[in-house]
Amino acid sequence: MWNWRYLLVMGLCGTAGYEGQAAFAAPPEQGGTLSSAPIVSASATGQPVAAKTETKTWFSDIDVGLQLEAGAMANSGHPHNGMNFGQLLQSHSDTGLLNQVALTITKPVDPIGGGYGLGANIQMLYGSDARAYVITGISDRWLKHDRYQITPIQANIALHMPWLTKEGLDVQAGILASPMGVEVLNPAGRAFYTMTYTAQYSNPFEHVGFYGQWHLNSHYAVLFGVDAGNQKSFGRGNNNGRPAGYVGFNASQLAGGAVSVTYLLRVGPEDARRQLGTHRAHEAQRYWNDLNATWQITPKWSLTAEATQVHDEGLEANTWSGVLWGAYAATSSLTFNARAEVYRDSTGQFIVQYPEDGSYGRALLGLPARTYSAPATTYGDFSLNAVWRPQLGHHVKLLQIRPEIRFDRSLNNTRPFADFRHQNRILIGGDVTLGF
């Protein structure tokens, strides 16, 4: 529910894909987390589906969707280690990747009496992206030595409760995608094949816990949640045994429906006891701040901006970043996008590359893992692409083709690229996504 942001994605790249789930609202695909709109669900292919008042049985509107993504990014530096530094998903240079095969089973939120509604979501992902979206204690031991792994993206129940206000309270509990940030894992729900440094290193990915949105009215909602940590489960799957959580707000459909704003604060210990010791790992907090806004200027033009700041007490490290997206919908099936970012890693401990297939999950738990990292660096990047979504037959619900060119540069004279030999680099390539 937290990652459907339809307003901007209509400008950026059309309707959402498999991350549309059986939840409550449809905020802008690239510009917020939760909406305060009336209950609206999404099918497994991302098409909006109004919550139904009459069905033959509670199970009659279950939807099943399948989505596949593959792509490649060539690197101008031709690094000897074969890695696109600073890219967790498009990690291997000059190499084709099967990023995702995503199977989604969605039960939209339907009334169950007394003003209550109930739904459920299951989403499983196979592919190279699963290496970064691993959840320790759940999927970190599945195919852990393979380039293509398996991980659950969603496995939760969704509940609407007619409490406190007219619009009520919505909650999801189980395995959930993080609500923070603009760019999402679903390739049909973000503008570019590559991700920003912000999305990969200053936004969480996955959680085990619960999240809620309390709708104050049709425009404003309070956001909150508690979980086991970023990409952590419980017991041995947790690196420090302490919970974390969110609080924030969403303002949607402002200025006649053109503007949406979301702010989220996340607080909790994230560092491993194996690295800091038990006491320090329990006490040292990580503070994540994310503010983003979307402005649909005209039916063809849209802008999204995001600002983030992260402070980690245990690592004694800080990051800050700013990102701006612009989109022009030339036709109903063709959109052009631009993206610019500045990202500061004050110690070099956040922007890290994981060359081995299981090293990301091991690093989350504080276990020995092979990594590459650069010194303290201010990164700048600029990306251009086109998104083509031709309308096909009934059985193919999505065909998305995205050629992309991306320019990266260290803004403070470090050399983080191409085996730490170059101050800048160019990535060129793209991806193809199919949805059924």
Side-chain angles (χ1 to χ4, degrees):
M1 75 183 180
W2 297 67
N3 286 320
W4 312 327
R5 299 159 182 132
Y6 280 99
L7 177 61
L8 183 62
V9 83
M10 293 299 289
L12 289 173
C13 49
T15 55
Y18 69 82
E19 283 190 15
Q21 54 185 287
F24 319 107
E29 181 60 46
Q30 296 282 32
T33 51
L34 295 175
S35 167
S36 54
I39 295 177
V40 176
S41 310
S43 71
T45 56
Q47 303 300 322
V49 180
K52 300 179 181 179
T53 57
E54 293 183 8
T55 57
K56 292 182 180 179
T57 71
W58 188 78
F59 298 99
S60 63
D61 57 353
I62 290 176
D63 195 7
V64 179
L66 180 66
Q67 186 167 284
L68 301 87
E69 180 200 19
M73 295 301 290
N75 191 321
S76 63
H78 304 293
H80 301 308
N81 62 21
M83 305 301 293
N84 291 326
F85 183 78
Q87 291 293 301
L88 295 179
L89 302 189
Q90 287 66 55
S91 55
H92 288 70
S93 64
D94 310 314
T95 302
L97 294 173
L98 176 62
N99 291 95
Q100 301 182 17
V101 178
L103 175 66
T104 303
I105 303 173
T106 304
K107 170 63 188 73
V109 175
D110 283 338
I112 57 175
Y116 291 85
L118 183 64
N121 310 279
I122 298 175
Q123 300 172 352
M124 295 296 297
L125 184 144
Y126 170 80
S128 60
D129 289 359
R131 294 171 304 160
Y133 275 73
V134 63
I135 304 174
T136 59
I138 295 178
S139 60
D140 57 324
R141 295 185 179 275
W142 302 349
L143 306 178
K144 63 179 180 178
H145 298 301
D146 296 342
R147 177 170 297 182
Y148 300 119
Q149 298 180 14
I150 300 174
T151 194
I153 302 303
Q154 305 282 344
N156 56 69
I157 60 170
L159 181 65
H160 174 75
M161 295 168 283
W163 295 356
L164 304 174
T165 60
K166 179 181 178 181
E167 284 77 13
L169 177 67
D170 294 321
V171 173
Q172 276 188 308
I175 297 173
L176 311 124
S178 167
M180 181 174 279
V182 170
E183 292 183 322
V184 296
L185 176 61
N186 176 13
R190 67 178 193 263
F192 289 86
Y193 179 43
T194 66
M195 279 187 168
T196 58
Y197 297 105
T198 299
Q200 297 174 101
Y201 297 102
S202 289
N203 292 154
F205 284 172
E206 294 285 325
H207 301 303
V208 179
F210 80 91
Y211 299 109
Q213 54 176 340
W214 173 29
H215 303 290
L216 303 180
N217 55 38
S218 60
H219 293 287
Y220 299 97
V222 174
L223 315 178
F224 59 93
V226 176
D227 57 71
N230 178 34
Q231 298 177 257
K232 318 293 193 317
S233 60
F234 301 98
R236 294 184 178 180
N238 198 290
N239 65 349
N240 57 40
R242 290 292 188 268
Y246 289 94
V247 65
F249 71 88
N250 171 247
S252 64
Q253 302 298 306
L254 305 179
V259 176
S260 294
V261 179
T262 298
Y263 168 73
L264 277 171
L265 166 66
R266 175 175 173 80
V267 181
E270 295 286 352
D271 300 316
R273 63 168 70 92
R274 292 183 177 92
Q275 294 174 313
L276 302 184
T278 299
H279 178 74
R280 182 61 176 158
H282 287 173
E283 297 297 324
Q285 304 294 305
R286 182 176 296 183
Y287 300 88
W288 325 54
N289 288 275
D290 186 277
L291 175 66
N292 58 72
T294 298
W295 179 23
Q296 189 72 43
I297 305 170
T298 71
K300 288 184 174 293
W301 289 96
S302 63
L303 285 175
T304 294
E306 180 179 16
T308 69
Q309 186 270 335
V310 179
H311 172 64
D312 191 294
E313 293 179 335
L315 300 178
E316 297 182 353
N318 296 279
T319 75
W320 60 262
S321 64
V323 192
L324 182 66
W325 292 261
Y328 173 68
T331 70
S332 60
S333 61
L334 180 63
T335 298
F336 297 99
N337 299 293
R339 180 185 66 196
E341 178 186 27
V342 176
Y343 185 99
R344 174 63 179 173
D345 181 358
S346 68
T347 63
Q349 296 181 82
F350 273 81
I351 306 297
V352 177
Q353 198 71 38
Y354 301 90
E356 296 174 343
D357 294 320
S359 58
Y360 187 86
R362 292 179 61 83
L364 288 172
L365 292 173
L367 296 170
R370 185 183 172 199
T371 62
Y372 301 134
S373 60
T377 298
T378 301
Y379 298 86
D381 60 274
F382 180 70
S383 303
L384 296 168
N385 85 341
V387 181
W388 183 43
R389 285 188 165 190
Q391 298 296 316
L392 300 179
H394 174 73
H395 297 293
V396 179
K397 296 182 179 179
L398 171 69
L399 170 61
Q400 175 179 274
I401 301 173
R402 294 187 296 188
E404 176 182 345
I405 185 168
R406 171 177 173 140
F407 308 87
D408 290 82
R409 183 176 178 84
S410 164
L411 303 180
N412 65 329
N413 296 319
T414 59
R415 297 177 180 271
F417 305 116
D419 307 301
F420 308 104
R421 295 179 289 114
H422 294 173
Q423 187 176 349
N424 51 46
R425 65 134 182 249
I426 299 173
L427 299 178
I428 186 167
D431 68 328
V432 177
T433 303
L434 279 171
F436 302 94

